[in-house]
Amino acid sequence: MASVVNLPNEIVCSIFSLAIRNWRIFPEIFKTGNDFEDCVALIDLSRVCRRWGEISLTDPTLWSSLNMLLYNPSKETLRQAAHFANICFARSKNLPLACAIQILHLDDLRFGHPLMLALVAHEDRWSRIAIDITRPHFPKLDSPGVYSPNPMEDSSGMFGVRLKTAGNENLKEFHFNIGSWFVYWMRDPLPSLETLKVAAYTSSSPNGAEYTLAAWLPLAPNLVELEITTDHSRFKFNTVRGETEIRGRATSFNNPFILLPKLHTLFVAPQLLSILTCPALEKYVTRSIPGANLHSSRFRSFVERSAPPLHTLEIKDGSSWRNIYFNIVTIRKYLIPSITNLIVNDPEAGFFTLLSKASAEGTTASVDVLPALKHLEICDCNDKYLYWLLALIAFRWDLAASNRSHKSVTLRRCFESIPEALFNPGGASIELADAEERWRTLARCVNEGLILSR
């Protein structure tokens, strides 16, 4: 067995990588918690002897990825985080950077400013960046509170974070939950950017979603996944935005539409669809289905304009179907015939009623709501709707064979009372006589080929 001093450099590097749990899989990469164990461990390893120092410093891949999770950090902790991040960025040399930064229960956003500046100082090397910062639900009594500098106070840009290159050709993914904190000055194309997820205010001001879309989309024609949601970080940070070019992009939204030719997953509020054209879209996600007819008309216009192969619809908050009897026409505009996969979180009674509605031809002939539905996924459903679900499954399954499209149902985090045997029949038929009466109809559907899973 070779001694440590005789090990080849590449094996020593692999040992270093294991020591810091650097699996190079985003976001499970170089992990640094409040105590900075991994970063300190790597720095300490580089100081054991001259050879180890040379090995660690000659392999920049050891330093090019960082996953930083900080919980309720102090101002000093965040100062140390910025210091360690600067060490990693310097030693990663010119390699692309993959960084996932989570700062949870932060009282004052200004404390994280040095860390953001350290990250942005190397923005030209960004490859995969994810930033998630949240306040406590109940701030401390001595907390400075929400910091909201007005434009006059922040005219110097003291606490604003300006993006100018955002990775240029390197950037592949960008996730940030406080879109209003960054001031976007990018002008060069971002041809490698495939995933963009930014939380922004949905107002019409330059701090809103329109500003975010105007800053990014004209530069990112190869986006595959786009998510623009409302900022729920509990921070409010307004910076001066004097970029006439970005404002000009925002005002040009009405004509023409922004074309995203490769986008296949879209998560934006329906009111933003009026400025987009996505001919390759396969999945549309919305927080809720608003009752306003204007928004549903925008959705239908978007579909007609884009003519996408849209087959998956996900609704994050199914409670928006609560008042279905008052806006059933509006809701049905979102349920276009091409949808084969429907995902609904926290559904209400109106959801089950609408999907169980038969066409005028009768229940054994066809349905006029989602006639091509193949897969239904229900998440976080209240137990009181169990019988509604069972009735819905039986209704969709018992359509005439020539009209039946339904194939599977997935239940996530709901209905633990359903017998496990119905989820894992193992290819064998379930004895209906042995099943509890309330489960027999569902057992029959499973016997006939319905796939039920969690």
Side-chain angles (χ1 to χ4, degrees):
M1 180 178 294
S3 64
V4 174
V5 294
N6 294 324
L7 289 177
N9 289 357
E10 57 270 19
I11 293 181
V12 176
C13 277
S14 296
I15 294 173
F16 288 172
S17 182
L18 290 173
I20 61 171
R21 301 190 299 279
N22 183 356
W23 302 107
R24 298 183 177 86
I25 299 177
F26 187 82
E28 293 185 5
I29 50 182
F30 182 0
K31 299 177 181 178
T32 302
N34 281 37
D35 53 9
F36 309 108
E37 280 185 4
D38 292 340
C39 192
V40 172
L42 184 54
I43 293 173
D44 286 347
L45 286 171
S46 68
R47 293 175 174 175
V48 168
C49 62
R50 177 179 295 179
R51 179 173 178 246
W52 282 23
E54 292 174 350
I55 292 174
S56 67
L57 293 177
T58 55
D59 185 3
T61 61
L62 291 171
W63 310 90
S64 63
S65 57
L66 175 65
N67 183 7
M68 186 173 290
L69 174 59
L70 305 173
Y71 183 84
N72 195 23
S74 64
K75 182 178 181 179
E76 176 60 22
T77 297
L78 285 166
R79 188 195 65 78
Q80 292 179 9
H83 172 69
F84 285 124
N86 277 321
I87 292 176
C88 294
F89 298 153
R91 294 185 177 183
S92 62
K93 297 185 178 178
N94 294 319
L95 288 184
L97 297 175
C99 302
I101 297 175
Q102 272 191 300
I103 306 176
L104 307 179
H105 283 205
L106 178 63
D107 284 318
D108 193 328
L109 193 62
R110 292 172 294 180
F111 295 166
H113 191 244
L115 180 57
M116 290 300 103
L117 292 183
L119 184 63
V120 172
H122 300 271
E123 63 172 314
D124 59 317
R125 295 193 286 134
W126 283 3
S127 175
R128 307 172 77 185
I129 303 296
I131 306 169
D132 182 30
I133 305 176
T134 60
R135 295 189 73 213
H137 289 289
F138 302 101
K140 299 176 182 177
L141 294 178
D142 59 348
S143 168
V146 180
Y147 182 64
S148 305
N150 61 43
M152 293 301 294
E153 290 176 324
D154 198 33
S155 60
S156 66
M158 182 180 299
F159 295 106
V161 183
R162 298 171 181 262
L163 288 188
K164 295 182 179 180
T165 62
N168 284 342
E169 297 185 0
N170 289 316
L171 187 63
K172 298 177 181 178
E173 296 183 40
F174 184 76
H175 311 241
F176 191 30
N177 74 316
I178 311 179
S180 61
W181 198 7
F182 278 6
V183 181
Y184 305 117
W185 277 27
M186 299 95 66
R187 292 177 174 83
D188 295 327
L190 305 170
S192 299
L193 185 60
E194 295 184 348
T195 300
L196 176 63
K197 296 184 179 182
V198 180
Y201 297 118
T202 55
S203 67
S204 58
S205 70
N207 284 333
E210 291 84 355
Y211 170 82
T212 302
L213 291 172
W216 289 93
L217 298 193
L219 305 177
N222 297 317
L223 273 181
V224 175
E225 184 176 9
L226 171 63
E227 177 178 312
I228 305 294
T229 54
T230 303
D231 183 352
H232 294 294
S233 64
R234 295 179 178 269
F235 287 106
K236 185 177 181 181
F237 198 96
N238 298 316
T239 53
V240 171
R241 307 187 184 279
E243 308 83 347
T244 56
E245 179 182 346
I246 296 298
R247 290 175 182 265
R249 293 181 200 167
T251 57
S252 67
F253 269 163
N254 293 329
N255 186 25
F257 301 109
I258 291 183
L259 174 64
L260 299 175
K262 298 182 180 180
L263 197 78
H264 69 65
T265 300
L266 176 63
F267 183 3
V268 299
Q271 53 265 39
L272 295 176
L273 294 175
S274 59
I275 60 178
L276 301 175
T277 300
C278 309
L281 191 68
E282 299 176 4
K283 180 178 181 179
Y284 175 62
V285 183
T286 179
R287 175 64 58 187
S288 62
I289 290 186
N293 187 60
L294 174 62
H295 297 326
S296 63
S297 297
R298 286 172 173 170
F299 174 77
R300 294 304 288 261
S301 297
F302 165 77
V303 172
E304 293 171 4
R305 178 174 65 254
S306 301
L310 181 59
H311 57 72
T312 299
L313 174 65
E314 180 175 354
I315 302 166
K316 293 291 187 180
D317 183 8
S319 64
S320 59
W321 292 21
R322 182 180 295 117
N323 297 324
I324 187 174
Y325 302 106
F326 300 99
N327 57 10
I328 186 170
V329 175
T330 299
I331 290 177
R332 289 187 60 158
K333 289 184 179 180
Y334 292 88
L335 306 181
I336 58 178
S338 64
I339 297 297
T340 59
N341 303 315
L342 179 64
I343 305 170
V344 181
N345 296 266
D346 191 23
E348 295 278 342
F351 160 77
F352 297 101
T353 300
L354 183 58
L355 261 67
S356 299
K357 182 177 176 57
S359 68
E361 300 176 29
T363 58
T364 60
S366 64
V367 291
D368 54 7
V369 177
L370 298 183
L373 184 63
K374 294 182 179 180
H375 178 72
L376 176 63
E377 182 172 323
I378 306 294
C379 308
D380 300 311
C381 186
N382 193 301
D383 286 347
K384 69 181 181 181
Y385 294 121
L386 174 59
Y387 286 100
W388 295 68
L389 173 74
L390 297 178
L392 170 60
I393 293 176
F395 170 78
R396 305 294 301 206
W397 185 258
D398 288 340
L399 296 173
S402 59
N403 294 306
R404 178 198 293 166
S405 62
H406 205 52
K407 294 183 178 181
S408 63
V409 175
T410 298
L411 305 175
R412 300 197 185 281
R413 303 179 300 277
C414 52
F415 305 132
E416 295 297 332
S417 59
I418 297 180
E420 193 64 30
L422 297 178
F423 295 98
N424 301 292
S429 296
I430 301 170
E431 290 295 335
L432 299 184
D434 297 336
E436 188 178 342
E437 182 176 358
R438 61 174 174 165
W439 305 119
R440 287 178 185 173
T441 300
L442 184 57
R444 173 180 60 80
C445 296
V446 172
N447 283 345
E448 294 174 359
L450 176 70
I451 300 174
L452 190 66
S453 60
R454 292 194 189 278

